[in-house]
């Protein structure tokens, strides 16, 4: 089946056409327009500006994606849209656009939880889609680590999962962004911190590993961020050298990685999972990827590791299309979605409890 998906939950406008059945996955087109330049002067996403830019760009982007996919609207079997969580003004643009298209094209419209998108994003390459079909891939433990979310789920299969724990305050990506801001690094902070950390010494600052000793799977990153703030306060701004910043980036990054890896490996062992999945914007972090791979190889039996291709770590509509396929029971429930789209509203706080 062919799915046209829209994603506008934050600061990326993204549209994709995915051709998919149980055996084959073919991403016919994906276009993601980033708003980084628009928000950079403010050091963070400005919801009203984000929504306006989504409005300006979404229709041309849909046209471009259909044209690249060489597909006519009549050949689209279903529409999919991110319904939440996210910035409400931004989400509404995608949801209302989806509803208009569903009305004029007479198509089912599948609302997708943004986290579900990240959960399945590792399966977007054809080889990894094949892996999803294998019985011995499951159960899997999946860490979604992004700017808005840090959650661990136990996945029994690609469409059955259970929340094990999540951050009680800031998301890991949010902490990267805030630490970057404290150090005067550009927005978005994650890539900037990761880049500077390469020339830093991670042993320089003794930062906390919040909640690492707790028995549960929850996280807290606000305390780590505050510890960075207090460590920096010991210096007058003029004495904060490039090397000191690099050392702080490396120390902070290592503290965040230690907590993330500790919890995911604890879950992997407790639930005897055959696969470890890490996805979301922060999963683009090369040091996190390197240390994850190293640690996985020390376990017996070695779990299979799944990471999204870099183009699918951040927000994108391809993952929303794949999630729509999965939650619609491989398209079997499309008639239901043809009936229900009129009642669809964006939900900024949509919880993923399934
Ligand atoms: O998944 P995503 O694009 O959006 C949300 O759903 O939040 O994640 C964006 C987050 C930002 O906080 C960004 O700083 C972080 O992912 N990020 C990184 C890296 N690349 C992006 N964090 C650490 N290292 C990176 N290389
Ligand atoms: Zn996201």
């Amino acid at each position: 089946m062919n799915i046209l998906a829209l994603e506008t939950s934050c600061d990326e406008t993204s549209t994709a056409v995915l051709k998919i059945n149980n055996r084959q996955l073919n991403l016919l087109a994906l276009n993601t327009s980033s708003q980084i330049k628009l928000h950079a002067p403010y050091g963070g996403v400005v919801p009203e500006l984000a929504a306006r830019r989504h409005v300006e760009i979404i229709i041309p982007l849909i046209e471009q994606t259909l044209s690249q996919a060489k597909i006519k609207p009549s050949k689209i079997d279903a529409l999919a849209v991110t319904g939440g969580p996210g910035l409400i003004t931004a989400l509404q643009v995608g949801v209302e656009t989806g509803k208009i298209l569903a009305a004029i094209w007479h198509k089912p419209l599948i609302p997708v939880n943004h986290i579900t998108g990240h959960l399945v994003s590792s399966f977007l390459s054809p080889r990894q889609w094949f892996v999803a079909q294998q019985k011995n891939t499951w159960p899997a433990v999946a860490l979604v680590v992004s700017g808005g979310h840090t959650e661990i789920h136990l996945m029994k299969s690609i469409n059955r999962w259970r929340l094990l724990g999540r951050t009680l305050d800031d998301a890991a990506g949010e902490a990267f962004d805030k630490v970057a801001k404290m150090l005067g690094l550009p927005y978005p902070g994650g890539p900037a911190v990761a880049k500077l950390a390469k020339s830093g010494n991670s042993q320089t600052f003794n930062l906390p590993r919040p909640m690492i000793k707790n028995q549960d799977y929850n996280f807290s990153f606000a305390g780590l961020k505050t510890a960075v703030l207090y460590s920096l306060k010991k210096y007058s701004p003029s004495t904060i050298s490039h090397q000191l910043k690099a050392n702080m980036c490396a120390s902070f990054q290592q503290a965040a990685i230690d907590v993330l890896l500790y919890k995911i490996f604890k879950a992997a062992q407790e639930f005897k999972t055959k696969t470890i999945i890490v996805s979301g914007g922060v999963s683009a972090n090369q040091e996190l990827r390197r240390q994850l791979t190293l640690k996985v190889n020390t376990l017996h039996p070695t779990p299979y590791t799944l990471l999204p291709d870099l183009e699918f770590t951040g927000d994108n509509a391809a993952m929303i299309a794949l999630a729509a396929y999965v939650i619609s029971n491989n398209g079997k429930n499309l008639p239901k979605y043809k009936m229900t789209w009129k009642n669809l509203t964006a939900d900024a706080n949509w919880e993923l409890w399934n």
Side-chain angles (χ1 to χ4, degrees):
M1 68 188 268
N2 297 317
I3 303 176
L4 169 62
L6 316 176
E7 153 65 42
T8 65
S9 66
C10 191
D11 60 346
E12 325 271 356
T13 322
S14 186
T15 58
V17 176
L18 183 70
K19 187 180 180 69
I20 186 162
N21 61 37
N22 283 358
R23 290 196 193 150
Q24 274 182 329
L25 170 152
N26 191 356
L27 183 58
L28 298 182
L30 168 64
N31 287 291
T32 302
S33 170
S34 166
Q35 301 181 359
I36 284 179
K37 281 197 187 133
L38 180 69
H39 300 289
Y42 305 94
V45 179
V46 183
E48 196 49 47
L49 290 183
R52 273 191 238 171
R53 180 57 61 86
H54 287 312
V55 169
E56 283 163 16
I57 212 159
I58 193 154
I59 298 296
L61 209 63
I62 290 170
E63 284 175 338
Q64 184 184 337
T65 300
L66 287 173
S67 144
Q68 273 176 10
K70 297 189 175 56
I71 198 163
K72 294 197 175 75
S74 58
K75 298 285 180 209
I76 296 289
D77 300 293
L79 300 159
V81 67
T82 306
L87 302 171
I88 189 66
T89 52
L91 288 164
Q92 277 169 333
V93 178
V95 167
E96 294 310 316
T97 306
K99 286 168 77 171
I100 292 167
L101 296 181
I104 59 178
W105 290 345
H106 305 288
K107 304 286 178 192
L109 173 61
I110 305 170
V112 173
N113 185 298
H114 184 79
I115 312 285
T116 310
H118 280 304
L119 271 178
V120 301
S121 62
S122 301
F123 296 103
L124 271 168
S125 69
R127 188 182 59 81
Q128 301 199 157
W129 181 237
F130 174 78
V131 170
Q133 315 307 317
Q134 309 307 306
K135 274 216 171 91
N136 58 4
T137 299
W138 310 101
V141 57
L143 171 70
V144 175
V145 66
S146 73
H149 312 277
T150 302
E151 302 187 351
I152 290 193
H153 292 264
L154 179 65
M155 297 180 79
K156 297 212 172 108
S157 67
I158 196 165
N159 62 0
R160 283 169 59 224
W161 55 84
R162 173 160 76 84
L163 181 73
L164 296 178
R166 62 172 165 183
T167 182
L168 303 179
D169 41 55
D170 291 356
E174 195 179 350
F176 269 89
D177 294 338
K178 286 178 179 168
V179 166
K181 218 172 180 174
M182 290 175 208
L183 293 170
L185 302 176
Y187 163 86
V193 168
K195 192 170 167 206
L196 199 49
K198 283 190 185 150
S199 53
N201 178 350
S202 64
Q203 310 286 316
T204 318
F205 292 96
N206 185 15
L207 297 172
R209 270 66 174 158
M211 299 188 68
I212 207 164
K213 295 260 157 67
N214 291 40
Q215 287 307 305
D216 58 29
Y217 291 102
N218 292 331
F219 299 93
S220 162
F221 289 98
L224 175 57
K225 171 197 73 186
T226 311
V228 171
L229 184 69
Y230 282 115
S231 300
L232 290 173
K233 276 197 172 156
K234 293 181 191 143
Y235 301 86
S236 72
S238 60
T239 62
I240 300 186
S241 63
H242 183 79
Q243 188 57 49
L244 189 144
K245 286 186 185 181
N247 291 343
M248 180 54 89
C249 287
S251 301
F252 161 77
Q253 179 176 266
Q254 192 56 52
I257 290 175
D258 282 351
V259 179
L260 294 170
L261 292 189
Y262 182 86
K263 297 265 170 166
I264 196 147
F265 280 94
K266 181 174 143 72
Q269 281 181 325
E270 179 176 343
F271 297 101
K272 299 188 176 43
T273 65
K274 297 196 179 110
T275 302
I276 291 180
I277 302 173
V278 180
S279 59
V282 182
S283 72
N285 187 288
Q286 292 302 328
E287 193 53 25
L288 172 66
R289 288 180 168 236
R290 192 184 69 78
Q291 293 187 27
L292 172 73
T293 312
L294 267 183
K295 210 167 166 179
V296 160
N297 292 333
T298 65
L299 297 187
H300 301 285
T302 308
Y304 193 70
T305 319
L306 276 172
L307 290 155
D309 293 348
L310 286 179
E311 62 172 321
F312 305 129
T313 55
D315 293 346
N316 67 86
M319 69 183 192
I320 301 304
L322 179 55
Y325 179 74
V326 165
I327 61 174
S328 66
N329 195 11
N330 301 355
K332 292 186 195 85
N333 294 342
L334 285 191
K336 175 185 116 187
Y337 292 104
K338 209 163 183 177
M339 310 292 292
T340 51
W341 64 263
K342 281 186 188 157
N343 302 325
L344 178 59
T345 50
D347 179 357
N349 303 311
W350 183 1
E351 302 270 11
L352 183 61
W353 291 117
N354 179 1

